[in-house]
Amino acid sequence: MNSVTVRTLLVRGMLAGVAAGVLAFVFAYLVGEGPVDAAIAFESANSHEHGGEELVSRSVQSTAGLATGCWSSVSPSAASRPWRSASRWAG
């Protein structure tokens, strides 16, 4: 394979990963945030306050936190590292 073909395949793979991350974020936001908000409302209505303050706001959790989770699940470097290092050290 020449270097142009390898470069093309790598770029296509990276673009596919970015598209998968965006689709995962949109799906998780649209499908998952409603039940999570309902669960939080239920817990708030049925719990006693202990006076603790929120370290991370719910809006940050539902946007930047969700995006970070989706990115790390589809990122090639995050997904492939454990298998590479494990296969290198395995017998």
Side-chain angles (χ1 to χ4, degrees), residues 7-66:
R7 182 179 186 276
T8 303
L9 290 174
L10 288 173
V11 169
R12 287 181 185 174
M14 286 188 279
L15 291 175
V18 169
V22 170
L23 287 175
F25 174 78
V26 170
F27 179 80
Y29 190 81
L30 294 176
V31 174
E33 284 300 313
V36 169
D37 286 337
I40 290 172
F42 179 77
E43 282 184 350
S44 297
N46 295 320
S47 68
H48 305 292
E49 280 298 318
H50 294 288
E53 70 177 84
E54 207 174 58
L55 295 177
V56 179
S57 71
R58 180 69 190 120
S59 63
V60 171
Q61 291 175 13
S62 67
T63 54
L66 183 61

Side-chain angles (χ1 to χ4, degrees), residues 69-91:
C70 289
W71 177 257
S72 66
S73 68
V74 299
S75 173
S77 62
S80 65
R81 291 266 183 223
W83 291 290
R84 279 190 196 159
S85 61
S87 65
R88 184 178 357 167
W89 299 109

